C-alpha cells in the first residue's frame, strides 16, 4: 500500500497539475535517481527499467551529462545564429541514413517533428489525407492527436484521416505485407471518393502502440509503394524504434527494404534531453522551402546538438546496436521458453530490444487478456521490474529498455515475469 508521503505527493500533484495527467501503476512510483538501467525510489529501492526508451543510452549516462554541462557553461542560444557544433551534429546524424536522406531539421519534441513532416507533406502534395494505423500514437499537437487513435475515443479522429489495421503476423494471412498494402490502397480510394487528396502514410516502423509488429521484415515496402503511386509521401516515425533499438541498424525502416520520404525522431536522440528532428529527401524539402519557411526557436540549439553528438558517441563506442541485436535475441528466446510454461503467453515478437509479449485468455481463440496484462504490469512493479502494456486491448507487455540493457538484466526480467505470471499478486 502507498505510504503517507506517496499519498501526499499524489494529492499535491493533483492540486498543482490538474486532472488530465495520469500515473503508471496502481501504486505510483516516486523516483529520485536514475543510473543506467536502474531507477531508485525515495526509500532507496532499485527498480530494473525495462520500459523507458527515452533514456536511450541509459539514465544519466556520464558522457552525455558531461557534454550537456560543458556546452551549457559556454553557450546556449536560439537557432538563427551560425553554430559549428549544430552543423557537425547534423552531418554526423545524416551519415547514419541512406544517401537518399540528405537534410535534417531540428525540433524539441517528437510531436513537433511529426507535425513538421505533415506540414511538408501537405505543402508538397497539395493534399490533406493521412493514413495511420488504428491504434497508433504520433503526438500531442491538435493535428497529431486527430491521427493518434490510441489517445482514446474522447479524441476525435480527423475527417481527413483514414485508419487501417496494422500488419499483424499473429492473426494475419500469410502475406502480411500485401494484406497491409491492400488496406492502404482501399483507404486511398475512400479518400478520393470523398474528395480528399492523399498526402501521406504515417507509420511507426515497429507499430509500438498497436502491439509491436516487426516481422516479417520487408512487409512495409508494398504499402509505401501504394502511397507513392497515389502521389503521397511516406513518413517513418522513428521516435520509438530509432537509434539502433531494433538491432538491425540505426533505423526501423531499414528492416523493410525501402527509404521513406521523411523520417521523424524524438527524445531518445538526446537520452531524454528535449531534442528531436525530421530528416528528409532533399527534393522534398526543396519544394517545401520554395513555398514556405520554418523556424523553431530552440530546436537544435548548441546544447541539444552537443547532447545529440554525445548520444551518437555512446551508441558507437559501446556497441549498442549490436547489444540490442544480441541481448534482444537472448531475451526473446528466454521469453519464448517461458511461453512453454505459461499458456497465457500467446505470442512473443519484436526486434532487438523492442519486444511485445501478448497475453491471451486462450491460445486457440487468441482472445486478448488485457486484465491479466494489467495485473502482470503491477505485479512486476511490486517485484521492482518496470514494464508497460500496449495494443488496442492493453494485453501486450511492452518491453523497450535502455540500450545498455544486458543479458544479466534480461535474466532478472524473465525470472520476475515467470514468478508474476504464476502469482500476479505475490511479493
Amino acid at each position: 500500500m502507498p505510504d503517507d508521503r506517496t499519498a501526499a505527493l499524489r494529492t499535491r500533484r493533483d492540486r498543482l497539475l490538474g486532472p488530465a495527467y495520469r500515473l503508471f501503476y496502481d501504486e505510483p512510483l516516486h523516483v529520485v535517481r536514475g543510473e543506467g538501467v536502474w531507477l531508485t525510489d525515495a526509500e532507496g529501492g532499485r527498480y530494473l527499467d525495462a520500459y523507458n526508451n527515452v533514456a536511450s543510452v541509459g539514465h544519466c549516462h556520464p558522457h552525455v551529462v558531461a557534454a550537456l554541462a560543458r556546452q551549457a557553461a559556454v553557450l546556449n542560444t536560439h537557432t538563427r545564429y551560425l553554430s559549428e557544433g549544430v552543423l557537425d551534429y547534423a552531418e554526423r546524424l545524416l551519415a547514419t541514413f541512406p544517401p537518399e536522406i540528405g537534410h535534417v531539421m531540428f525540433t524539441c519534441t517528437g510531436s513537433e517533428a511529426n507535425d513538421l513532416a505533415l506540414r511538408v507533406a501537405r505543402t508538397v502534395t497539395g493534399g490533406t489525407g493521412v493514413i495511420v494505423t488504428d491504434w497508433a500514437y504520433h503526438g500531442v499537437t491538435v493535428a497529431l492527436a486527430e491521427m493518434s487513435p490510441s489517445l482514446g475515443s474522447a479524441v476525435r479522429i480527423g475527417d481527413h484521416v483514414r485508419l487501417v489495421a496494422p500488419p499483424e503476423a499473429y492473426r494475419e494471412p500469410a502475406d502480411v505485407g500485401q494484406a497491409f498494402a491492400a488496406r492502404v490502397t482501399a483507404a486511398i480510394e475512400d479518400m478520393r471518393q470523398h474528395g480528399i487528396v492523399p498526402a501521406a502514410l504515417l507509420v511507426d516502423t515497429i507499430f509500438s502502440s498497436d502491439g509491436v509488429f516487426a516481422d516479417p521484415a520487408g512487409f512495409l515496402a508494398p504499402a509505401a509503394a501504394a502511397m507513392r503511386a497515389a502521389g503521397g509521401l511516406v513518413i517513418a516515425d522513428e521516435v520509438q524504434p530509432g537509434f539502433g533499438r531494433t538491432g538491425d541498424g540505426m533505423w526501423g525502416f531499414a528492416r523493410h527494404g525501402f527509404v521513406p520520404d521523411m523520417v521523424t525522431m524524438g527524445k531518445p536522440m538526446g537520452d531524454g534531453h528535449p531534442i528531436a528532428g525530421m530528416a528528409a529527401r532533399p527534393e522534398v524539402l526543396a519544394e517545401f522551402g520554395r513555398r514556405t519557411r520554418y523556424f523553431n526557436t530552440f530546436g537544435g540549439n548548441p546544447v541539444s546538438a552537443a547532447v545529440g553528438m554525445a548520444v551518437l558517441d555512446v551508441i558507437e563506442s559501446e556497441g549498442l546496436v549490436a547489444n540490442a541485436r544480441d541481448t534482444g535475441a537472448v531475451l526473446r528466446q528466454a521469453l519464448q521458453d517461458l511461453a512453454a510454461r505459461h499458456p497465457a503467453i500467446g505470442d512473443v515478437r519484436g526486434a532487438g530490444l523492442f519486444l511485445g509479449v501478448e497475453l491471451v485468455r486462450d491460445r486457440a481463440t487468441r482472445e486478448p487478456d488485457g486484465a491479466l496484462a494489467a495485473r502482470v504490469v503491477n505485479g512486476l512493479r511490486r517485484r521492482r521490474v518496470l514494464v508497460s502494456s500496449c495494443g488496442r486491448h492493453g494485453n501486450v507487455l511492452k518491453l523497450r529498455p535502455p540500450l545498455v540493457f544486458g543479458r544479466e538484466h534480461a535474466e532478472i526480467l524473465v525470472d520476475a515475469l515467470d514468478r508474476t505470471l504464476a502469482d500476479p499478486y505475490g511479493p
Side-chain angles (χ1 to χ4, degrees):
M1 295 294 293
D3 58 24
D4 291 344
R5 183 180 182 186
T6 299
L9 276 175
R10 292 187 69 175
T11 300
R12 185 182 177 204
R13 186 180 195 266
D14 291 343
R15 175 173 58 83
L16 294 171
L17 303 184
Y21 282 95
R22 299 292 184 269
L23 288 164
F24 276 152
Y25 312 117
D26 293 341
E27 299 175 25
L29 191 61
H30 178 196
V31 177
V32 298
R33 182 176 178 81
E35 182 179 6
V37 299
W38 298 98
L39 290 172
T40 303
D41 69 14
E43 286 71 45
R46 293 218 308 169
Y47 294 76
L48 179 66
D49 186 355
Y51 178 71
N52 286 294
N53 69 312
V54 169
S56 55
V57 297
H59 294 282
C60 302
H61 194 290
H63 182 68
V64 178
V65 172
L68 186 154
R70 187 166 53 247
Q71 183 59 49
V74 175
L75 173 69
N76 198 28
T77 188
H78 67 68
T79 56
R80 286 193 173 180
Y81 299 122
L82 291 173
S83 173
E84 189 170 10
V86 172
L87 300 180
D88 288 344
Y89 176 56
E91 192 169 56
R92 186 173 178 189
L93 181 63
L94 285 169
T96 68
F97 287 99
E100 293 90 337
I101 303 293
H103 293 318
V104 62
M105 301 174 72
F106 294 114
T107 66
C108 299
T109 68
S111 292
E112 288 182 337
N114 276 330
D115 198 84
L116 172 58
L118 290 174
R119 284 182 58 186
V120 172
R122 289 171 177 171
T123 300
V124 172
T125 65
T128 59
V130 180
I131 298 173
V132 298
T133 49
D134 64 14
W135 205 244
Y137 170 73
H138 292 293
V140 296
T141 67
V142 171
L144 289 162
E146 290 183 345
M147 53 189 71
S148 293
S150 66
L151 291 176
S153 58
V155 180
R156 183 178 180 276
I157 299 301
D159 293 335
H160 60 292
V161 178
R162 295 296 182 272
L163 307 182
V164 296
E168 182 183 356
Y170 183 47
R171 293 180 175 86
E172 283 270 12
D175 198 332
V176 176
Q178 289 301 325
F180 185 57
R183 293 195 289 273
V184 169
T185 300
I188 291 169
E189 181 57 31
D190 185 69
M191 284 181 184
R192 287 174 168 158
Q193 290 177 5
H194 288 84
I196 300 169
V197 176
L201 170 66
L202 171 60
V203 288
D204 169 341
T205 58
I206 202 166
F207 300 88
S208 311
S209 296
D210 289 288
V212 186
F213 303 117
D215 293 315
F219 68 67
L220 270 177
M227 175 52 71
R228 284 176 171 153
L233 302 181
V234 180
I235 305 167
D237 183 338
E238 293 281 346
V239 172
Q240 295 189 60
F243 289 90
R245 177 152 296 281
T246 65
D248 299 299
M250 282 289 280
W251 308 109
F253 67 81
R255 304 183 75 249
H256 295 291
F258 78 102
V259 180
D261 298 292
M262 289 175 280
V263 181
T264 56
M265 300 157 277
K267 286 178 285 296
M269 71 193 293
D271 200 35
H273 179 81
I275 179 175
M278 188 273 288
R281 293 174 180 260
E283 61 270 25
V284 171
L285 282 190
E287 181 64 15
F288 180 70
R290 185 179 68 81
R291 299 189 189 186
T292 188
R293 291 290 181 267
Y294 180 77
F295 174 57
N296 188 311
T297 305
F298 261 66
N301 63 73
V303 169
S304 293
V307 169
M309 187 74 88
V311 168
L312 294 180
D313 288 342
V314 175
I315 290 173
E316 181 179 334
S317 65
E318 297 188 12
L320 294 187
V321 178
N323 182 66
R325 179 194 66 218
D326 297 341
T327 300
V330 169
L331 176 57
R332 185 171 181 173
Q333 183 59 58
L335 292 168
Q336 289 170 338
D337 293 343
L338 202 62
R341 300 197 299 277
H342 295 282
I345 298 178
D347 193 31
V348 177
R349 54 182 179 258
L353 282 174
F354 204 139
L355 298 175
V357 180
E358 178 154 356
L359 302 183
V360 295
R361 295 181 186 276
D362 184 288
R363 280 188 178 171
T365 65
R366 302 184 181 183
E367 180 186 354
D369 197 340
L372 175 60
R375 292 195 298 271
V376 168
V377 167
N378 283 285
L380 284 169
R381 179 252 184 268
R382 287 192 292 275
R383 291 178 168 90
R384 296 188 175 180
V385 175
L386 304 180
V387 305
S388 188
S389 61
C390 60
R392 175 177 291 278
H393 304 284
N395 68 309
V396 180
L397 303 180
K398 189 177 184 182
L399 312 179
R400 39 159 215 193
L403 295 173
V404 291
F405 201 81
R407 296 187 182 197
E408 67 276 23
H409 307 124
E411 290 176 3
I412 295 170
L413 167 59
V414 172
D415 176 68
L417 180 56
D418 188 12
R419 291 184 286 121
T420 303
L421 285 167
D423 180 11
Y425 298 104

